[in-house]
Every structure is written in C-alpha cells, then in structure tokens.
C-alpha cells in the first residue's frame, strides 16, 4: 500500500470510528429535507473522532461532484455463489439523487474544516411498511476524493425507524451516516479513474474478503467526457447545372442559323469546326 493510499486509509478509519461512536457527532447541517422517522434526506458536516487532516475546504464543483456520484456503481453480493455469478452492476444513485447530493456536498466541502467530512443520509420509501436507507460520506485528501458508501438500500421497517430500539434502525444511520449495518449485501465496483480504498482485491479477496466501502477518485484525471454527438452528414453537393445544350443541339442551332441566312457559309463552317474540335 502506497504512502498516499495509507494516509487515505487512516483517514477513512478515523471517520469510520466516528461513525461507530455511540454518541452522535455534533455535525453542522448543510441541507435537510423531510422529517425524521419518515422520508428524509440530509447533508451534514461531521467531525472525525480520531485525529484527521483533510484538504478542506475543497473546491469541487457541483457538476464534477454529480459526475462522480453518477459514476459510482454497486453490485449485489450475498456470498460465494453471487460473487461468481454476479449480477449486472447498477448505479448507486439515481439522477435526481446525484443532482441533489452534488449541490449540497459541493457546498459542504467548500465550508468544511480540515477535521470535518461531509456525510449524507437518504431514507426512501420501499413499501407501506418499510424503507431503504443509503448513507455515507465524502472527503478530499490531497488530489484524491474518497467516497464512503456505508449503506446502500438497506431495508428497515417503519417501526424500527420510529422506536430506534433495533441496532439496525435508521435512527442509527441518521445519527452516524458512516455506521455500516451488518449484512449489507453489496460491493463497490470501481470504474475509470477509481480504485477501492485499500486497493482493488485479488480474485480470492473478492470471493472471500469483506467488501470495501470506500472509493478513491483521482481528481487530477480528466473528467469523463460525454459521448460526442454524431457528426451531421455533409449536405449533398448541389446538382450540376444543366448544360446549355449538347453538341448535337449546338450543331442543330448553328445549322438553323445558317439556313435562315443569319450567318454566312464561312462563319457556319468555322463555328462548326470549333464545336467538333472542342468535342
């Protein structure tokens, strides 16, 4: 593990420790929508419990942040067989989720101190009796952005949401978005310009190891460009202007002029010879 990667991993551990703390960190709310115990989303700045020094405040535009979030993919993983016969990866965030989070995470990173990281929490309805929780955090260290996806579509019941008695209650993730619920059956799939925090696993590690919840994005890499629009075909050349007349027509015209006495015999023969030579 490189020195830079090691520093990123230590920072992740500091944030993870904050997420597992019993008492909720005293975070600064950047954005909140909805109501606790119901459908809700928020972005907050939380302090790391262990010493950490991030490259904050950081300037990550909403457009770049949305691109990063839109490029996060996950794959359901529920044991050895599913690791071998994996399902098709899917985007972790919908377009609306990526747009909303990008706006507020960009602002959060711009306002963060070196000891704070931006965290997020999404609680969306699943059925009338349950909801699904997605939560995690983002921080910048040097030229790397690290995104932690602590929970992804973890299904809980509304009763757990309201009482908070279960250890996997949404209340736990709401207080500490970096707390990972047990048995989260998914893994992050790194894309172009992305690596897993701690390094991409070997085949054996992918089959038997614990999936990484951190994704490292190289901010020095050029942004992924959208596919260029297909070039418009060049307009067809204009049809050639019709010739004034063919050689035969010209000769007929010349003969008629001669027959009508409009040109002399000498002029007729001379012009006729020119036309034939040009042909």
């Amino acid at each position: 593990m490189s020195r830079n990667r090691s520093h990123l991993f230590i920072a992740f551990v500091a944030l993870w420790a904050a997420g597992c703390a019993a008492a909720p960190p005293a975070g600064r709310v950047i954005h909140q929508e909805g109501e606790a115990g119901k459908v809700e989303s928020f972005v907050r700045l939380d302090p790391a419990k262990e010493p950490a020094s991030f490259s904050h405040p950081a300037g990550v535009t909403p457009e770049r942040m949305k691109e990063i979030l839109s490029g996060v993919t996950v794959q359901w993983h529920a044991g050895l067989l599913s690791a071998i016969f994996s399902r098709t990866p899917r985007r972790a965030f919908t377009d609306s989720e990526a747009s909303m989070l990008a706006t507020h995470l960009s602002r959060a990173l711009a306002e963060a101190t070196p000891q704070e990281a931006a965290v997020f929490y999404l609680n969306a309805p699943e059925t009338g009796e349950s909801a699904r929780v997605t939560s995690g955090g983002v921080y910048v260290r040097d030229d790397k952005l690290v995104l932690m996806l602590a929970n992804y579509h973890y299904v809980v019941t509304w009763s757990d949401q309201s009482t908070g008695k279960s250890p996997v209650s949404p209340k736990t993730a709401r207080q500490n978005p970096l707390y990972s619920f047990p048995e989260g059956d998914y893994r992050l799939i790194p894309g172009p310009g992305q690596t897993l925090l701690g390094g991409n696993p070997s085949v054996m590690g992918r089959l038997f190891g614990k999936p990484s919840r951190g994704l490292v994005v190289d901010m020095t890499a050029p942004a992924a460009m959208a596919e260029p629009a297909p070039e418009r075909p060049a307009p067809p050349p204009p049809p050639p202007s019709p010739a004034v007349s063919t050689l035969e027509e010209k000769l007929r015209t010349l003969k008629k002029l001669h027959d009508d006495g409009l040109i002399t015999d000498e002029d007729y023969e001379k012009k006729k010879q020119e036309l034939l030579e040009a042909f």
Side-chain angles (χ1 to χ4, degrees):
M1 184 182 299
S2 67
R3 183 178 179 181
N4 189 34
R5 186 67 59 78
S6 177
H7 287 172
L8 289 172
F9 186 75
I10 292 171
F12 174 82
V13 171
L15 284 177
W16 179 83
C20 292
R28 294 191 286 141
V29 175
I30 300 298
H31 163 80
Q32 185 170 8
E33 186 175 3
E35 183 180 349
K38 298 182 180 180
V39 177
E40 182 187 17
S41 64
F42 67 73
V43 171
R44 194 173 67 202
L45 284 170
D46 281 0
K49 183 180 179 182
E50 302 296 329
S53 180
F54 306 120
S55 301
H56 299 164
V60 182
T61 65
E63 293 76 17
R64 183 72 169 105
M65 183 62 71
K66 181 180 179 181
E67 180 189 63
I68 293 171
L69 295 174
S70 298
V72 177
T73 57
V74 296
Q75 192 172 54
W76 291 114
H77 171 74
L80 179 60
L81 289 179
S82 66
I84 298 174
F85 304 102
S86 299
R87 299 180 183 179
T88 304
R90 64 172 65 186
R91 287 176 54 185
F93 303 100
T94 65
D95 286 338
S96 60
E97 289 172 340
S99 296
M100 183 277 290
L101 287 174
T103 299
H104 303 298
L105 287 175
S106 175
R107 177 190 161 195
L109 290 176
E111 297 182 10
T113 69
Q115 287 74 43
E116 292 178 314
V119 297
F120 58 87
Y121 171 88
L122 304 173
N123 188 356
E126 182 74 11
T127 67
E129 297 296 329
S130 62
R132 50 186 170 85
V133 172
T134 297
S135 68
V138 175
Y139 70 85
V140 175
R141 187 74 176 270
D142 299 328
D143 56 358
K144 302 290 191 297
L145 181 143
V146 177
L147 182 142
M148 292 84 70
L149 192 64
N151 298 290
Y152 171 69
H153 287 194
Y154 195 93
V155 178
V156 292
T157 66
W158 289 116
S159 59
D160 288 337
Q161 168 87 352
S162 59
T163 63
K165 293 180 180 179
S166 169
V168 294
S169 163
K171 185 178 180 180
T172 306
R174 187 180 186 279
Q175 292 175 342
N176 299 304
L178 295 175
Y179 174 83
S180 293
F181 292 145
E183 301 176 0
D185 297 333
Y186 68 95
R187 63 170 67 246
L188 287 165
I189 306 299
Q194 303 173 349
T195 55
L196 294 176
L197 191 65
N200 294 337
S202 63
V203 175
M204 295 300 291
R206 187 171 69 86
L207 294 178
F208 300 102
K210 185 177 181 179
S212 172
R213 294 293 184 249
L215 196 65
V216 182
V217 180
D218 184 0
M219 298 298 288
T220 64
M225 300 298 292
E227 294 185 4
E231 295 183 2
R232 293 182 179 181
S241 301
V244 175
S245 59
T246 64
L247 175 63
E248 183 179 359
E249 291 173 339
K250 290 180 179 180
L251 290 174
R252 290 181 185 278
T253 301
L254 184 63
K255 186 174 186 307
K256 186 174 186 308
L257 292 174
H258 175 262
D259 293 342
D260 291 344
L262 298 177
I263 59 175
T264 63
D265 293 344
E266 183 180 357
D267 291 334
Y268 170 71
E269 292 297 333
K270 181 180 179 181
K271 190 61 178 176
K272 177 182 176 182
Q273 188 63 30
E274 290 178 356
L275 291 173
L276 292 174
E277 288 177 357
F279 177 75

